[in-house]
Amino acid sequence: MAGEQKSKAKMEQAKGKAKEAAGRAVGNERLEAEGRAEQAKGDARQSKEKAKDVFKH
């Protein structure tokens, strides 16, 4: 389960970066903001999983 969540976090971060870059390229501020939000969501998920790992060991 933890591996699945970690991969979800990485996928969200990558998708967010792509959206942000696409938004910046076409000048779409909303798309840029959505990308940043997805990255933040992925970062939060990754932090949560790292914290779980610390307490497991």
Side-chain angles (χ1 to χ4, degrees), residues 2-21 31-49:
E4 179 183 321
Q5 293 298 317
K6 287 179 185 178
S7 65
K8 253 187 190 179
K10 291 288 184 190
M11 191 169 47
E12 282 176 338
Q13 289 169 331
K15 196 165 110 177
K17 284 182 190 212
K19 265 189 182 180
E20 184 180 7
L31 190 60
E32 245 183 284
E34 284 179 15
R36 282 192 299 270
E38 271 190 50
Q39 285 182 61
K41 187 175 168 185
D43 290 343
R45 186 184 307 267
Q46 187 176 32
S47 295
K48 182 178 90 174
E49 291 303 315

Side-chain angles (χ1 to χ4, degrees), residues 20-28 32:
E20 184 180 7
R24 191 175 300 127
V26 297
N28 186 332
E32 245 183 284

